[in-house]
Amino acid sequence: MESVLWRLENVSFAYRDKPVLQGINSVLQAGRCIGILGPNGSGKSTLLDLLAGLLHPQTGRILFQGKPLARYRRRDLARCLALVPQHFRISFDFSVREVVEMGLHPHLARFALPSFEDQQQVEKIMRQTGILALEKRPITRLSGGEQQRVAVARALTQRPQVLLLDEATASLDIRHSLALLQLLRQRVQGGIFSVVAVLHDLNLAARFCDELLLLHKGRCQAQGPTAQILDPRILEEVYGVESEIHYNDFTQSQQVSLRLPASPLHEN
Amino acid sequence: MQPGRGFVISLAGLALVVTLTAALAATLGFLRVPLHEVATVFSAKALLRPVPQEIDATTISVLTNVRLPRILAAILIGGSLALCGAVFQAVLLNPLADPYTLGISTGAAFGASLVIVLQIFGLALPTAISVPFFAFLGGMGTLALVLYLAAGDSRLSSTSLILAGVIVSAILSAAIGFFKFLADEQVGIIIFWLMGSLAGASWSQLQMLAPVTLVGALLLCIFGRDLNIMAAGERSAASLGIATQRLRLLLVCICSLLTAMAVSVSGIIGFVGLIVPHLLRHLSGPDNRVLLPYSFFAGALLLLVADTLTRAVLPSEVPIGVLTALLGGPFFCFLFKKRQRDGGIF
């Protein structure tokens, strides 16, 4: 499954007059898990919003499956792209199940109710994400980590071709982070969907991503297979830290050890 | 959970209760009319048949020309204010929003009293159309200003939104006060808009109020599921395929139109849109697919009962807007305090 999902051609984006992304050229392929990395303020979330069609670039253009993103209808896009935001909060006391069922929205006609198959699918996803026991609880009474799993379940219910994650593991504990990423990884390997994930943790990225895209000051600093991008020279340039990268038999992936350079931090 | 059979049954039940209450309300007043005579007169009129001879002509006139339009206006206005409250709360993600706290009602009253003043100064405007039209402009303008003032706060938090509503209301109230000064002898009409009353409801007003309210209410109820998803915030809703900005603008315009229609008939009646959806959310949950229709009927029932109380039960007629404010104001204070305690969400 080696087809192109996105093609970004000289994409720039600014909030008012504050440039965030500049001249991004990139091709994102289907069938893999792509990690977007970079320091704070490097434009990771903005890039994700551009890919999701929630924002539109001021210059350049973004093609999704060969067609300009701006020409898609929002609802059609929602049938192939699902987003898990960083902070998922909801303003009224909807039950967990009601929130998960919201993922069916782009697939349902206006007054249609979920079919029996839809209901079964919702239950299956809630079981897999470990929230079935919470199904009747009001979402506002859950912990941050539980709410985040509900957000993931809702996105899976959308039956997307691509799942976009914006630091979706930030509020999860270690066990739930690993469980979530493994669940998604299995689905990527099974050819069910692709994943594009904004991540902070280099070691999680090393374990779960096939490919990395490294942003630095609004530019695409490097993009390529994970093993190639996790390079001490590149990491020093982008993050200003020293690193040692080695293959770890226990996790069966490359892992990164980091430290601050001995010399004073150079000005960014 | 799903708006299934239970929802249809309770909605039909609510509609029946509203109808029965309306019939009961028609019997009450200075002139007591037995229930069977009310039923005879209304069914005869509805079927376009002549009313039987044995019923007194005054009774017929009181029922059809005075009480029925007032009852229908109470139902339509109560329903539309409650429904608009529910929609504003869902659109702005703010459980304290309603046409009154956002200042839209005052803006609409400002527009309506402007017409009166212009007429005094010799500008001949057709009242039947210009009053609702100016009320709509006043309501929309106020809403735009309130949203602009509160927009610095990206999440449109309760406090800044309500504060903006109160400030704009205060300015407009001062302007209305000046109009009162200008209006001199016709001051009564403007005071009527400030206090809120259904005493003046007539068939000619209903000709405009009824179709606009019913069509608007149906339109609003169509978007129940979209409103549910909007509760997850702009970014999530957009990623689920909702054109959030366009939808928000559309819904806010419809609500302002409905509020303006209501104000042009009854003046400012506050807090109905705040209390009704809030209480219903405790009973039926936050699902807007069921909450919106329930709000319409429950709001209709509330205002009908309240208006019948002021009209027929209390020793002298209290303006209904005063009554709802006296009941709703403390309720708002309670909600506001509870919200601070619970950390912002309920």
Side-chain angles (χ1 to χ4, degrees), chain A residues 49 101 105 108 110 158 166, chain B residues 2 222 225-226 235 239:
Chain A
D49 279 352
E101 280 180 357
H105 176 78
L108 286 180
R110 180 156 291 284
Q158 229 171 312
D166 190 0
Chain B
Q2 293 297 335
I222 286 176
R225 200 167 76 202
D226 305 61
R235 200 173 173 215
S239 77

Side-chain angles (χ1 to χ4, degrees), chain A:
Chain A
M1 192 165 136
E2 277 296 287
S3 59
V4 174
L5 286 174
W6 281 278
R7 191 181 292 279
L8 288 83
E9 295 171 354
N10 195 29
V11 169
S12 298
F13 182 84
Y15 288 107
R16 294 180 191 255
D17 47 0
K18 186 172 156 278
V20 181
L21 293 170
Q22 287 167 22
I24 307 268
N25 285 296
S26 176
V27 171
L28 303 180
Q29 303 268 4
R32 49 184 82 170
C33 181
I34 302 170
I36 299 176
L37 299 177
N40 293 336
S42 56
K44 303 185 295 287
S45 293
T46 306
L47 180 59
L48 208 64
D49 279 352
L50 287 169
L51 295 178
L54 301 178
L55 297 174
H56 296 289
Q58 274 94 10
T59 56
R61 62 175 192 159
I62 304 175
L63 300 177
F64 179 67
Q65 297 183 334
K67 183 171 144 186
L69 208 49
R71 294 236 310 270
Y72 280 87
R73 284 175 45 214
R74 177 128 277 166
R75 193 177 157 84
D76 294 335
L77 221 45
R79 289 193 190 132
C80 32
L81 301 174
L83 173 75
V84 182
Q86 185 175 3
H87 301 291
F88 180 73
R89 39 178 309 188
I90 200 155
S91 301
F92 294 98
D93 277 339
F94 286 98
S95 74
V96 166
R97 192 189 178 104
E98 283 171 328
V99 175
V100 176
E101 280 180 357
M102 286 179 189
L104 296 168
H105 176 78
H107 298 283
L108 286 180
R110 180 156 291 284
F111 292 109
L113 295 177
S115 65
F116 182 64
E117 287 77 26
D118 289 334
Q119 303 272 12
Q120 283 189 317
Q121 184 210 357
V122 165
E123 265 158 44
K124 189 173 156 206
I125 289 171
M126 284 198 289
R127 195 174 306 117
Q128 286 167 338
T129 44
I131 55 170
L132 190 59
L134 308 173
E135 80 174 308
K136 294 208 171 67
R137 296 262 300 276
I139 178 112
T140 48
R141 301 285 146 96
L142 302 185
S143 71
E146 288 168 333
Q147 289 187 356
Q148 197 60 30
R149 282 187 279 149
V150 175
V152 171
R154 194 216 57 198
L156 293 176
T157 310
Q158 229 171 312
R159 302 195 283 266
Q161 291 172 37
V162 189
L163 195 62
L164 299 163
L165 304 174
D166 190 0
E167 304 204 17
T169 57
S171 54
L172 296 180
D173 58 34
I174 300 168
R175 192 187 140 75
H176 282 120
S177 297
L178 292 175
L180 169 64
L181 289 173
Q182 184 170 317
L183 176 82
L184 300 183
R185 176 109 202 113
Q186 283 165 357
R187 292 179 178 221
V188 172
Q189 282 167 343
I192 297 173
F193 53 62
S194 314
V195 168
V196 176
V198 166
L199 292 167
H200 245 312
D201 187 324
L202 290 178
N203 284 322
L204 280 183
R207 280 183 69 171
F208 291 101
C209 295
D210 306 297
E211 189 179 320
L212 296 179
L213 191 157
L214 211 53
L215 286 175
H216 183 40
K217 294 180 180 171
R219 294 180 186 280
C220 177
Q221 188 81 11
Q223 185 186 355
T226 301
Q228 197 180 316
I229 299 300
L230 290 178
D231 175 282
R233 269 180 308 128
I234 298 178
L235 293 184
E236 164 139 40
E237 212 173 320
V238 171
Y239 288 98
V241 294
E242 291 180 349
S243 58
E244 194 180 89
I245 291 154
H246 47 85
Y247 186 81
N248 185 315
D249 278 328
F250 184 67
T251 62
Q252 301 204 325
S253 70
Q254 294 204 297
Q255 293 292 279
V256 187
S257 305
L258 300 161
R259 69 175 185 203
L260 285 173
S263 58
L265 274 172
H266 49 250
E267 298 292 315
N268 266 324

Side-chain angles (χ1 to χ4, degrees), chain B residues 181-200:
Chain B
F181 174 73
L182 289 179
D184 211 16
E185 283 178 7
Q186 296 209 39
V187 72
I189 309 175
I190 297 178
I191 291 180
F192 156 84
W193 262 302
L194 289 181
M195 302 264 238
S197 166
L198 288 157

